[in-house]
């Protein structure tokens, strides 16, 4: 029998080799797991593969993922997000920076109905970029706010990252969701403060907005954004008041989005079909990585790696702060190369037993991890939000978007440190949830 | 020539199409089922008692039946950092090797999950939840979806081989 250290070394080398050579992440994880199982226990252990996949997929919690994705697609494809953006702009145009604040606030509110950063950045970016260019806003300022604002999608509930995290570590997804609210508010405040600071120092970055519309027209525009606001209240209110589980909120939100879209004549059957197809495709993409990770995780446990690693780290008597710094650095580096959800699924089987052993609060750690994943989403070369905004903006070098995101990356890091110093920012609000 | 015009191409097209139709239907059903559960609980104080369980089974259906369509539409994620830097012909070779490895995993999973489902059927395993449903019924989605995925992989690998042959001037239609 191999020592766990050697086994872990082989697993890491094989996994990195497969990932680096471009094997799909889900299959790289599963193949490494299978190789590990074969080396350690022989062919007979493969008998468990059916059971592992069944147990991993048969989850009511994970059902929320396709439903939230479908709702986000409906809002985006129906054009409801555009109306919401215009409605919000009549409220925020007076602030220094004008519509750039609408980007941030729009992303924050859209985040409250969508669990995905890419969907958030795409929804608000599609509505915002043509409008901002028409009015003469500085491109770098606009694009940075959209790419970074989009990252709020996985922090402000609902969050697909938190659903998977909760399912993996068996923590309450509802509590995780609510734990993300205050850090989300802090980030929105920081982002908006930065924009005010930047525009106040250089007035040429954003035009002075003047509203030419009558008050009645302004009110009409604002109220036209009601579907998105109503869905937000439905989802967050239902979860916080204990009326619905996150999955139920997702189903109710998806059904409501379809009904609203049909009533307002914003969606047709082809749009619904497109939204369904897209939601299924993205769900499979995410959850098959999760399935692969379950095989990998089983191989780790089967070879005694998880147990050995926890014992070894515990014996080192590392101060928890040192371990935390290691985790942060690990995620910052991995975030450059691997997308956020894969990064989390890849590392949790190894890290979470140590995190539990060291006495960290799993809800608090979930928020920290989500913030670190957000940073990865605006870090080159793999930052998905950078590509999303770059794709919508058209003709702008990706380096422009990257440069525009640097201040937001620093603000995200500052928020991580703040929540490490004051954990209550994450764990205070969930205490008051109604069961 | 469009690959979809050959018989093989048609079969592969319908494999992924059946998969996405099943996946999308599962998504619609889970949305309706859970929404009905919430409304009936709130308005009539009545619970179906099976909404949680059934929607989880529908997720299994969605996930495994959606595999072939996701492969066909290049939906799986990879770390592209190094891959994108390879020359085109190296990319094709690497893609071919990784596809063969991935297909082998799917063959293994399909085989093992057929055994798993047969065992559930043979022993008459049923759910401990209120539905008491025979478990092989929802579990059947796993070997079914994996088998469709294996077929899709054969087509995918065929297309890669065709591309490689085409780049050397010996194109063949798959």
């Amino acid at each position: 029998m191999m020592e766990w250290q050697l086994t872990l070394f082989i697993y890491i080398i094989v996994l990195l080799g497969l990932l680096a050579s471009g094997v799909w992440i889900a299959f790289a994880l599963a193949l490494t797991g299978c190789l590990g199982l074969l080396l350690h226990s022989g062919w007979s252990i493969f008998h468990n593969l059916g059971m592992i996949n069944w147990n991993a997929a048969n989850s009511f919690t994970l059902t929320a993922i396709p439903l939230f994705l479908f709702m986000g697609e409906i809002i985006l494809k129906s054009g409801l997000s555009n109306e919401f953006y215009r409605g919000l702009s009549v409220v925020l145009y007076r602030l220094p920076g004008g519509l750039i604040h609408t980007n941030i606030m729009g992303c924050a509110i859209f985040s409250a109905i969508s669990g995905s950063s890419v969907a958030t950045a795409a929804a608000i970016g599609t509505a915002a970029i043509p409008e901002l260019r028409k009015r003469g806003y500085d491109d770098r300022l606009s694009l940075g706010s959209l790419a970074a604002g989009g990252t709020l999608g996985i922090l402000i509930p609902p969050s697909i990252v938190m659903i998977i995290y909760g399912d993996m570590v068996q923590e309450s997804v509802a509590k995780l969701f609510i734990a993300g609210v205050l850090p989300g508010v802090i980030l929105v405040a920081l982002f908006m403060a930065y924009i005010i600071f930047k525009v106040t120092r250089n007035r040429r970055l954003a035009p002075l907005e003047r509203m030419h519309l009558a008050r009645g027209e302004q009110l009409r525009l604002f109220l036209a954004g009601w579907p998105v606001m109503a869905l937000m209240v439905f989802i967050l209110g239902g979860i916080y008041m204990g009326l619905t589980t996150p999955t139920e909120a997702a189903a109710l939100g998806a059904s409501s989005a379809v009904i609203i879209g049909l009533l307002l004549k914003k969606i047709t059957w082809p749009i619904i079909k497109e939204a369904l197809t897209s939601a299924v495709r993205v769900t499979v993409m995410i959850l098959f990585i999760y399935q692969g990770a379950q095989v990998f995780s089983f191989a780790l446990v089967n070879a005694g790696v998880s147990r050995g690693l926890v014992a070894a780290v515990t014996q080192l008597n590392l101060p928890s702060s040192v371990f935390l710094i290691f985790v942060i650095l690990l995620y910052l580096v991995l975030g450059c190369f691997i997308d956020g959800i894969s990064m989390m699924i890849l590392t949790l089987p190894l890290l979470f037993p140590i995190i539990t052993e060291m006495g960290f609060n799993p809800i608090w750690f979930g928020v920290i991890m989500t913030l670190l994943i957000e940073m990865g989403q605006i870090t080159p070369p793999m930052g998905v939000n950078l590509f999303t905004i770059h794709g919508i903006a058209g003709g702008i070098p990706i380096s422009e978007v990257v440069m525009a995101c640097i201040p937001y990356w620093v603000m995200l890091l500052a928020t991580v440190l703040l929540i490490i110093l004051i954990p209550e920012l994450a764990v205070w609000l969930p205490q008051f949830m109604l069961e | 020539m469009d690959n979809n015009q050959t018989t093989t191409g048609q079969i592969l097209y319908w494999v992924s199409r059946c998969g996405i139709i099943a996946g999308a239907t599962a998504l619609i059903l889970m949305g309706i089922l859970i929404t009905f559960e919430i409304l009936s609980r709130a308005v009539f104080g009545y619970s179906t008692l099976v909404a949680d369980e059934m929607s989880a089974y529908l997720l299994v259906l969605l996930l495994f039946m959606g595999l072939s369509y996701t492969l066909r539409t290049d939906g799986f994620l990879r770390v592209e950092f190094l891959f994108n830097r390879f020359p085109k012909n190296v990319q094709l070779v690497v893609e071919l090797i990784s596809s063969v490895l991935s297909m082998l995993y799917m063959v293994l999973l399909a085989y093992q999950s057929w055994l798993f489902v047969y065992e559930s059927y043979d022993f008459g395993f049923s759910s401990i939840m209120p539905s008491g449903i025979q478990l092989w019924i929802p579990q059947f989605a796993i070997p079914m979806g994996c088998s469709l995925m294996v077929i899709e992989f054969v087509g995918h690998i065929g297309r890669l081989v065709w591309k490689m042959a085409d780049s050397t001037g010996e194109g063949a239609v798959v």
Side-chain angles (χ1 to χ4, degrees), chain A residues 57-322:
Chain A
N58 179 22
S59 158
F60 180 62
T61 308
L62 295 178
T63 305
I65 294 176
L67 292 165
F68 276 130
L69 287 169
F70 175 65
M71 178 175 59
E73 287 288 328
I74 288 287
I75 300 283
L76 179 61
K77 290 184 164 58
S78 63
L80 286 171
S81 51
N82 291 0
E83 293 192 351
F84 160 68
Y85 183 84
R86 280 196 292 274
L88 204 59
S89 68
V90 297
V91 181
L92 295 169
Y93 77 96
R94 290 185 187 87
L95 291 172
L99 289 191
I100 305 288
H101 294 289
T102 314
N103 295 350
I104 300 294
M105 196 53 92
C107 284
I109 296 176
F110 195 84
S111 299
I113 57 164
S114 151
S116 143
S117 286
V118 174
T120 304
I124 302 300
T126 310
I129 291 172
E131 195 66 29
L132 292 164
R133 283 190 171 153
K134 199 166 72 187
R135 296 181 187 217
Y137 281 83
D138 178 68
D139 242 5
R140 189 182 273 196
L141 190 66
S142 314
L143 303 182
S145 68
L146 287 165
T151 66
L152 295 168
I154 56 165
L155 179 66
I156 294 178
S159 156
I160 289 172
V161 167
M162 286 179 174
I163 293 170
I164 295 177
Y165 175 85
D167 198 72
M168 281 185 89
V169 306
Q170 294 297 297
E171 270 299 328
S172 157
V173 174
K175 282 188 175 165
L176 279 162
F177 276 7
I178 301 305
V181 171
L182 264 185
V185 171
I186 292 170
L187 271 177
V188 170
L190 273 178
F191 288 176
M192 289 176 73
Y194 164 75
I195 291 161
I196 292 176
F197 170 74
K198 190 94 177 147
V199 173
T200 313
R201 281 185 50 170
N202 183 359
R203 290 276 175 192
R204 278 176 303 177
L205 294 175
L208 199 58
E209 290 284 350
R210 286 195 178 78
M211 190 55 74
H212 302 293
L213 300 171
R215 285 211 179 266
E217 183 61 11
Q218 285 184 36
L219 187 67
R220 193 195 63 75
L221 271 177
F222 176 69
L223 292 179
W226 73 267
V228 172
M229 304 294 264
L231 285 171
M232 182 190 79
V233 172
F234 249 37
I235 293 168
L236 284 188
I239 296 171
Y240 193 76
M241 301 298 290
L243 300 173
T244 57
T245 63
T247 307
E248 289 173 342
L252 206 56
S255 309
S256 309
V258 171
I259 292 168
I260 291 169
L262 288 172
L263 287 176
L264 297 178
K265 295 191 170 64
K266 297 276 184 193
I267 53 171
T268 53
W269 176 236
I271 290 180
I272 297 176
K273 264 202 308 195
E274 219 179 297
L276 283 168
T277 310
S278 173
V280 170
R281 187 170 173 268
V282 178
T283 303
V284 173
M285 180 190 88
I286 295 169
L287 288 188
F288 208 60
I289 296 175
Y290 183 70
Q291 298 290 110
Q294 295 304 313
V295 179
F296 180 65
S297 186
F298 181 70
L300 286 175
V301 174
N302 182 57
V305 173
S306 305
R307 205 175 43 242
L309 191 64
V310 170
V313 174
T314 314
Q315 273 173 9
L316 282 176
N317 269 330
L318 279 179
S320 54
S321 54
V322 173

Side-chain angles (χ1 to χ4, degrees), chain A residues 45-63:
Chain A
I45 193 109
F46 287 143
H47 184 66
N48 292 293
L49 276 182
M51 177 66 85
I52 294 168
N53 277 274
W54 166 250
N55 285 340
N58 179 22
S59 158
F60 180 62
T61 308
L62 295 178
T63 305

